[in-house]
């Protein structure tokens, strides 16, 4: 394969590469130049400072000499300042001494051009070479300006000076200082410094062939200017202002120096970099146009493909071609994945739908049609014998309260995989689906050679599944097994049997395997016996009979022995709750307590999974109600007498003479008060409680198979001498004669 596109991209980026290298080199060179400029400026600042010191050091020395003249001359025979105390032309000797003193000062400082003294008394001027009045002195204008100046001294800017009218002007800077003698006379001493001498000092400190120096005085007047060729071609690096003279010193490079050549080359390099940049830009534009053609063709194909697949053309995405390509491809992939997922989902729905219809019996399939569906789902070969098993979560509501929905989905996935692995391990074949969030149904089948061992393998499979779940998952399951079948139409019977077996965990317990053979139910007529036991239990509870707990336990034992279905147990327990709170309605003062506990009991009945759970939870509520009834009955002064009466009735229920009169005589209370007291404490009339107690005792004697007493004898033992009276009362309370109850 030729790499045309590769080479196109390579040559497209090559100008950019050179451009980057050029710019990097330019940046490096520019940084190097700037660094050199900074270093040069630092060097020139030092040189400029040294040069300022070199120029001003002799000036300061001259200034110091002028300050010390007065002090130094007071101790000698000749005093230079005596000139200011004189008037007129001085003597020849004094003039000689003055000339000598001024020559000494000039010899000490070679840069001094001339010195003269100005006497304020008569305006005479004395210099090294002349003595003349002020009006005849060539420098009289400068002197008059000094005399009007307030300051005692200062260095002047560059000016022109000549000592005689015929002499030539010389460029000088002057220092003038005012003096006052001990006699009160005053005058000026002016010392002129040649500007050429300052230039010589500067030339000694700096090479003026490549550099320049300028000294500017006050009001920006030049003292030492650059040469005429340098004034327009210079680069300043240092600029200092003297605190002593007020002059400004500037130094830098001339344009013709090597450094300025480097700077000029730097400018050329900038121009060259810009040219290379422009060329690179043009090359990129050209190569981009060439390389963009395949991309443009690809975008056009994607447009056609997107429109043909039902997508809408979006010109807004054209702002970024690669983003458009990515978005279009991603959209196509999403559509494909959506189509695939919908196809898989529809297949899964169809598969599960057929499975549910067959198991529920809502759809009847022939064996050939069922085998076709099995082959479509990857189960090849049909079946000769099959059975249905159901795996159900134990205490599902508790599991839901402890784990999130994502966790439950993971648990179902784990159980499904465990199921598939165990099916393969035991050489079985199966089609399994989750019937709901709580129960998974498995259709397990074998071929001809294994049909006799199908149930044995299912039992081993179920036992291994239970052990694995106990060891690896934070909950347990119950496995229900239906009977084997050889036809598709009978699968619904096996499924119903397996589901019914799971529901029998109410009486048989959970976390186990339950087969269809364990679900034989009790006789239908025994349901009446359970109703009678419930009424007897409620009566014992309401009358605070200590035997109510034993009757409560017996009720649940009968549920287990008769193997009642869950629906039957729920109905019986709901009847128990209804009848219980109907009888308790007036025994407890707090109606809210009645409603709250009734609702709690109904919730327990709706959600319980095993008899042990509901028995224990409802017993707790009954004990709380018992405490409330006893607490109410124990209030007041007559409660103790009422409980003694009740106990006396229980102990003497067989006495036919037991009546209100008998109790009034026994407890020394009027008979009408006995009835009212009993009604107030226990919310039941005395005669009704007596009849209840005698009928309950009669029931026990009628069911006692060891003694098998006659009905007449039983009537006498419960306090009825007349058998007819006993039969009439028993039938009214129980609903049937004693003989029928015994049967």
């Amino acid at each position: 394969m030729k790499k045309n596109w590769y080479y196109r991209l390579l040559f497209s980026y090559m100008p950019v590469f050179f451009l980057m290298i050029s710019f990097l080199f330019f940046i490096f060179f520019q940084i190097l130049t700037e660094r050199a400029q900074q270093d040069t400026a630092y060097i020139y600042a030092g040189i400029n400072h040294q040069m300022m010191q070199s120029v001003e050091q002799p000036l300061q020395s001259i200034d110091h000499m002028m300050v010390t003249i007065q002090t130094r001359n007071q101790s000698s025979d000749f005093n230079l300042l005596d000139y200011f105390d004189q008037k007129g032309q001085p003597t020849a000797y004094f003039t000689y001494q003055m000339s000598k003193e001024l020559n000494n000062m000039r010899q000490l400082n070679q840069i001094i051009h001339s010195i003269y003294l100005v006497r304020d008394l008569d305006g005479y001027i004395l210099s090294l070479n002349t003595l003349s009045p002020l009006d005849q002195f060539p420098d009289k204008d400068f002197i008059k300006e000094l005399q009007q100046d307030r300051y005692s001294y200062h260095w002047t800017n560059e000016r022109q000076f000549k000592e005689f009218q015929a002499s030539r002007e010389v460029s000088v800077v002057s220092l003038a200082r005012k003096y006052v003698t001990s006699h009160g006379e005053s005058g000026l001493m002016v010392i002129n410094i040649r500007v050429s001498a300052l230039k010589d000092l500067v030339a000694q400190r700096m090479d003026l062939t490549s550099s320049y120096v300028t000294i500017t005085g006050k009001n920006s007047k030049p003292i030492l200017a650059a040469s005429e060729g340098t004034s327009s071609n210079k680069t300043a690096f240092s600029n200092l202002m003297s605190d002593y003279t007020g002059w400004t010193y500037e130094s830098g490079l001339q344009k013709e120096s090597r450094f300025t050549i480097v700077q000029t080359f730097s400018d050329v390099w900038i121009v060259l970099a810009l040219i290379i940049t422009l060329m690179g830009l043009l090359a990129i534009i050209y190569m981009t146009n060439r390389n963009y053609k395949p991309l443009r063709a690809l975008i056009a194909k994607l447009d056609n493909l997107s429109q043909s697949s039902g997508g809408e053309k979006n010109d807004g995405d054209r702002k970024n071609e690669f983003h458009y390509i990515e978005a279009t491809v991603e959209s196509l992939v999403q559509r494909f994945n959506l189509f695939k997922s919908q196809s898989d989902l529809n297949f899964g729905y169809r598969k599960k739908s057929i499975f549910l219809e067959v198991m529920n019996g809502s759809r009847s399939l022939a064996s050939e049609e069922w085998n076709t569906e099995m082959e479509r789902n990857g189960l090849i070969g049909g079946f000769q014998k099959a059975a249905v098993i159901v795996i159900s979560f134990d205490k599902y509501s508790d599991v839901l309260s402890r784990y999130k929905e994502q966790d439950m989905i993971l648990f179902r996935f784990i159980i499904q995989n465990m199921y598939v692995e165990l099916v393969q391990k035991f050489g079985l074949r199966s089609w399994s689906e989750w019937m709901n969030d709580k129960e998974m149904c498995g259709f397990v089948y074998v071929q001809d050679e294994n049909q006799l061992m199908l149930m044995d393998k299912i039992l081993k499979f179920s036992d291994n599944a239970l052990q694995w779940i106990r060891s690896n998952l934070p909950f347990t399951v119950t496995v229900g097994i239906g009977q084997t079948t050889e036809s598709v139409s009978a699968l619904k019977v096996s499924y119903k049997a397996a589901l019914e077996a799971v529901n029998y965990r109410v009486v048989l317990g959970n976390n186990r395997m339950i087969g269809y053979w364990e679900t034989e139910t009790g006789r239908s007529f025994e349901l009446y016996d359970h109703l009678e036991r419930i009424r007897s239990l409620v009566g014992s509870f309401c009358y605070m009979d200590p035997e109510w707990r034993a009757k409560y336990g017996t009720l649940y034992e009968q549920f287990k022995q008769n193997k009642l279905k869950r629906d039957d147990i729920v109905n019986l327990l709901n009847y128990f709750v209804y009848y219980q709170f109907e009888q308790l309605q007036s025994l407890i003062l707090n109606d809210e307590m009645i409603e709250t506990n009734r609702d709690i009991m109904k919730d327990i009945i709706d959600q319980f999974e095993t008899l042990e759970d509901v028995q224990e939870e409802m017993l707790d509520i009954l004990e709380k109600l018992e405490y409330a009834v006893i607490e109410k009955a124990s209030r007041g002064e007559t409660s103790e007498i009422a409980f003694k009466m009740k106990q006396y009735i229980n102990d003497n229920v067989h006495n036919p003479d037991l009546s209100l009169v008998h109790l009034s005589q026994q407890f020394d209370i009027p008979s009408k008060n006995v009835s009212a007291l009993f009604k107030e404490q226990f919310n039941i009339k005395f005669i009704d409680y007596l009849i209840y107690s005698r009928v309950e005792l009669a029931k026990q004697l009628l069911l006692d198979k060891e003694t098998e007493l006659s009905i007449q004898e039983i009537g006498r033992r419960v306090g009825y001498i007349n058998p007819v009276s006993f039969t009439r009362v028993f039938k009214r309370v129980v609903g049937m004669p004693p003989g029928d109850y015994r049967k």
Side-chain angles (χ1 to χ4, degrees):
M1 179 187 293
K2 295 183 179 180
K3 297 182 179 180
N4 295 332
W5 183 259
Y6 169 79
Y7 290 116
R8 286 184 180 182
L9 293 178
L10 179 62
F11 288 118
S12 296
Y13 299 135
M14 195 67 71
V16 180
F17 171 77
F18 286 114
L19 178 63
M20 291 177 62
I21 294 299
S22 301
F23 267 114
L24 289 176
F25 186 68
F26 162 69
I27 292 172
F28 168 76
F29 193 82
Q30 197 70 15
I31 292 174
L32 186 63
T33 303
E34 291 179 0
R35 181 64 181 177
Q37 289 178 348
Q38 292 175 359
D39 293 343
T40 303
Y42 179 77
I43 293 171
Y44 269 95
I47 295 175
N48 204 14
H49 184 72
Q50 292 180 359
M51 181 184 64
M52 182 180 68
Q53 290 181 344
S54 300
V55 172
E56 294 187 353
Q57 185 175 2
L59 299 181
Q60 289 176 350
S61 176
I62 294 171
D63 191 6
H64 179 70
M65 179 183 64
M66 294 176 66
V67 170
T68 57
I69 284 177
Q70 186 173 4
T71 303
R72 178 172 55 82
N73 288 332
Q74 286 178 354
S75 59
S76 61
D77 295 335
F78 175 76
N79 189 349
L80 185 64
L81 300 182
D82 288 342
Y83 172 73
F84 300 131
D85 294 330
Q86 299 176 8
K87 188 175 182 181
Q89 187 172 359
T91 62
Y93 177 76
F94 186 83
T95 302
Y96 167 76
Q97 291 293 335
M98 284 288 292
S99 176
K100 181 180 179 183
E101 186 67 25
L102 293 177
N103 275 321
N104 289 336
M105 294 174 60
R106 190 174 174 185
Q107 290 177 0
L108 290 174
N109 294 277
Q110 297 295 324
I111 64 174
I112 295 176
H113 173 266
S114 59
I115 304 173
Y116 63 86
L117 278 72
V118 180
R119 191 166 57 196
D120 292 341
L121 182 62
D122 53 8
Y124 260 89
I125 296 173
L126 175 65
S127 66
L128 186 63
N129 301 311
T130 183
L131 177 66
S132 67
L134 177 61
D135 294 337
Q136 298 177 7
F137 193 66
D139 206 19
K140 60 182 178 180
D141 295 334
F142 173 69
I143 295 173
K144 291 179 179 180
E145 290 179 3
L146 291 178
Q147 290 175 344
Q148 295 175 0
D149 199 345
R150 296 180 181 180
Y151 296 98
S152 62
Y153 76 98
H154 61 81
W155 284 98
T156 67
N157 293 334
E158 181 181 4
R159 68 188 187 88
Q160 300 300 317
F161 170 76
K162 60 181 179 178
E163 191 172 2
F164 304 100
Q165 291 293 341
S167 62
R168 190 175 55 179
E169 290 184 344
V170 179
S171 296
V172 296
V173 293
S174 303
L175 174 62
R177 182 172 293 276
K178 292 183 179 182
Y179 290 94
V180 179
T181 65
S182 59
H183 300 285
E185 300 298 334
S186 62
L188 290 173
M189 177 181 288
V190 178
I191 297 180
N192 298 316
I193 308 299
R194 291 173 301 171
V195 174
S196 60
L198 298 179
K199 290 182 179 179
D200 294 338
L201 290 175
V202 171
Q204 294 175 4
R205 293 290 186 272
M206 183 175 291
D207 182 10
L208 297 179
T209 59
S210 61
S211 302
Y212 76 92
V213 175
T214 61
I215 301 176
T216 304
K218 298 174 183 179
N219 301 323
S220 301
K221 292 183 178 180
I223 297 175
L224 179 63
S227 61
E228 295 181 358
T230 308
S231 59
S232 59
N233 298 321
K234 60 183 181 179
T235 302
F237 284 100
S238 177
N239 195 299
L240 295 176
M241 183 174 181
S242 173
D243 295 334
Y244 171 64
T245 61
W247 298 346
T248 300
Y249 295 80
E250 181 182 296
S251 61
L253 288 172
Q254 299 180 18
K255 289 292 183 177
E256 291 78 8
S257 64
R258 296 178 181 178
F259 192 82
T260 54
I261 294 174
V262 172
Q263 286 185 315
T264 303
F265 179 75
S266 177
D267 296 336
V268 173
W269 174 251
I270 293 175
V271 174
L272 182 61
L274 292 176
I275 294 174
I276 294 175
T277 302
L278 181 60
M279 293 176 61
L281 181 61
L282 294 175
I284 290 175
I285 294 174
Y286 171 73
M287 297 303 294
T288 301
N289 287 329
R290 286 189 58 189
N291 297 338
Y292 189 73
K293 291 180 180 179
L295 188 62
R296 186 184 296 112
L298 176 61
I299 292 175
K301 291 181 180 179
L302 288 177
D303 279 339
N304 296 331
L305 183 60
S306 177
Q307 293 176 10
S308 63
S309 61
E312 295 182 357
K313 185 176 180 180
N314 187 0
D315 293 333
D317 292 337
R318 295 299 184 90
K319 295 179 180 179
N320 188 326
E321 293 85 351
F322 290 100
H323 178 267
Y324 172 77
I325 294 173
E326 181 182 3
T328 305
V329 173
E330 184 177 353
S331 177
L332 293 174
V333 171
Q334 288 179 352
R335 292 174 195 167
F336 173 77
N337 291 335
L338 180 61
F339 173 78
K340 186 177 182 300
S341 62
Q342 288 178 345
S343 177
D344 295 341
L345 188 61
N346 293 335
F347 176 77
Y349 281 150
R350 184 177 182 279
K351 174 184 175 184
K352 185 174 182 178
S353 176
I354 294 174
F355 187 85
L356 294 178
E357 289 174 351
V358 171
M359 293 302 166
N360 292 325
S362 59
R363 181 176 179 181
S364 178
L365 295 179
S367 297
E368 294 78 9
E369 187 177 0
W370 175 256
N371 292 338
T372 302
E373 292 295 336
M374 290 179 61
E375 291 179 1
R376 184 177 298 171
N377 297 318
L379 306 172
I380 302 175
F383 74 94
Q384 295 298 323
K385 181 173 287 189
V388 176
I389 65 173
V390 174
I391 300 177
S392 177
F393 283 90
D394 291 335
K395 299 182 179 180
Y396 184 66
S397 59
D398 180 59
V399 177
L400 280 180
S401 65
R402 290 187 288 124
Y403 298 99
K404 299 179 180 179
E405 180 60 28
Q406 294 85 347
D407 299 329
M408 298 304 300
I409 295 175
L410 178 60
F411 289 149
R412 296 186 194 101
F413 176 76
I414 293 173
I415 292 175
Q416 183 91 29
N417 286 348
M418 177 273 301
Y419 177 88
V420 173
E421 291 180 3
L422 288 180
V423 165
Q424 296 175 354
K425 176 181 178 181
F426 287 96
L428 299 171
R429 299 185 181 183
S430 177
W431 180 359
S432 61
E433 297 287 346
W434 283 94
M435 309 298 285
N436 49 57
D437 292 341
K438 180 181 178 182
E439 295 171 339
M440 187 184 79
C441 176
F443 156 67
V444 183
Y445 67 98
V446 291
Q447 302 297 331
D448 296 341
E449 64 274 10
N450 295 321
Q451 58 180 318
L452 298 178
M453 298 183 294
L454 175 60
M455 188 54 66
D456 292 338
K457 289 187 176 182
I458 289 178
L459 293 176
K460 293 179 181 179
F461 161 82
S462 302
D463 184 61
N464 277 263
L466 287 169
Q467 292 180 8
W468 191 92
I469 292 176
R470 291 190 198 108
S471 302
N472 297 279
L473 296 179
F475 52 83
T476 59
V477 297
T478 298
V479 179
I481 303 175
Q483 60 267 41
T484 58
T485 179
E486 297 178 356
S487 64
V488 177
S489 59
L491 287 176
K492 61 182 180 181
V493 179
S494 181
Y495 170 69
K496 183 177 180 181
L499 194 61
E500 186 174 348
V502 169
N503 291 331
Y504 264 89
R505 62 184 163 192
V506 174
V507 293
L508 299 179
N510 55 17
N511 190 20
R512 55 163 295 180
M513 173 181 59
I514 304 176
Y516 68 93
W517 55 88
E518 300 181 68
T519 60
E520 296 179 357
T521 61
R523 294 170 294 174
S524 60
F525 75 89
E526 290 182 351
L527 185 61
Y528 175 81
D529 295 338
H530 294 302
L531 294 176
E532 182 61 30
R533 290 188 184 95
I534 290 173
R535 287 193 290 269
S536 176
L537 167 62
V538 172
S540 297
F541 182 84
C542 292
Y543 301 140
M544 294 295 106
D545 185 356
E547 296 296 326
W548 75 266
R549 284 183 175 80
K551 293 181 180 180
Y552 181 78
T554 302
L555 178 66
Y556 285 92
E557 289 296 328
Q558 290 298 321
F559 288 167
K560 291 182 180 179
Q561 291 178 9
N562 297 137
K563 294 183 180 179
L564 296 184
K565 296 181 180 179
R566 190 182 192 281
D567 294 340
D568 294 336
I569 294 175
V570 169
N571 292 332
L572 288 171
L573 290 178
N574 281 325
Y575 174 75
F576 167 67
V577 172
Y578 167 77
Y579 192 70
Q580 171 78 23
F581 286 99
E582 280 291 319
Q583 299 300 316
L584 287 176
Q585 194 70 37
S586 57
L587 290 180
I588 302 177
L589 293 175
N590 191 349
D591 293 338
E592 184 179 356
M593 179 182 294
I594 292 287
E595 295 296 330
T596 301
N597 287 279
R598 178 161 47 198
D599 293 340
I600 293 175
M601 280 191 171
K602 288 183 178 180
D603 291 340
I604 293 173
I605 294 172
D606 291 339
Q607 299 177 7
F608 83 96
E609 192 167 276
T610 62
L611 278 177
E612 288 78 7
D613 295 338
V614 68
Q615 180 179 358
E616 181 179 352
E617 293 178 6
M618 292 185 67
L619 179 61
D620 291 339
I621 298 176
L622 290 174
E623 288 177 345
K624 293 177 182 178
L625 293 173
E626 179 188 31
Y627 176 78
V629 173
I630 294 175
E631 184 181 16
K632 179 193 172 184
S634 63
R635 297 172 186 170
E637 298 177 356
T638 59
S639 60
E640 185 177 355
I641 298 175
F643 275 97
K644 288 182 178 180
M645 287 182 182
K646 182 180 177 183
Q647 187 63 40
Y648 184 82
I649 294 171
N650 293 335
D651 296 340
N652 298 277
V653 69
H654 58 278
N655 187 357
D657 296 329
L658 191 59
S659 63
L660 287 174
V661 177
H662 182 81
L663 285 177
S664 65
Q665 293 174 355
Q666 185 70 26
F667 290 94
D668 195 17
I669 298 174
S671 59
K672 63 177 181 179
N673 293 343
V674 171
S675 179
L677 178 62
F678 207 87
K679 175 68 174 177
E680 179 184 357
Q681 292 296 321
F682 302 110
N683 198 36
I684 189 172
K685 296 179 180 179
F686 160 75
I687 189 63
D688 292 338
Y689 183 73
L690 179 61
I691 291 173
Y692 164 77
S693 300
R694 287 176 172 176
V695 170
E696 287 297 312
L697 180 57
K699 287 180 181 179
Q700 296 178 12
L701 295 175
L702 286 170
L703 297 177
D704 190 354
K705 296 182 180 181
E706 295 182 359
T707 59
E708 294 186 354
L709 298 175
S710 64
I711 294 177
Q712 184 178 0
E713 179 64 23
I714 291 174
R716 285 197 298 269
R717 288 197 178 192
V718 297
Y720 291 100
I721 299 176
N722 189 349
V724 177
S725 299
F726 168 65
T727 302
R728 184 175 64 251
V729 171
F730 191 91
K731 184 177 181 180
R732 177 165 59 83
V733 174
V734 180
M736 65 179 65
D740 293 344
Y741 183 82
R742 170 175 279 178
K743 293 178 182 180

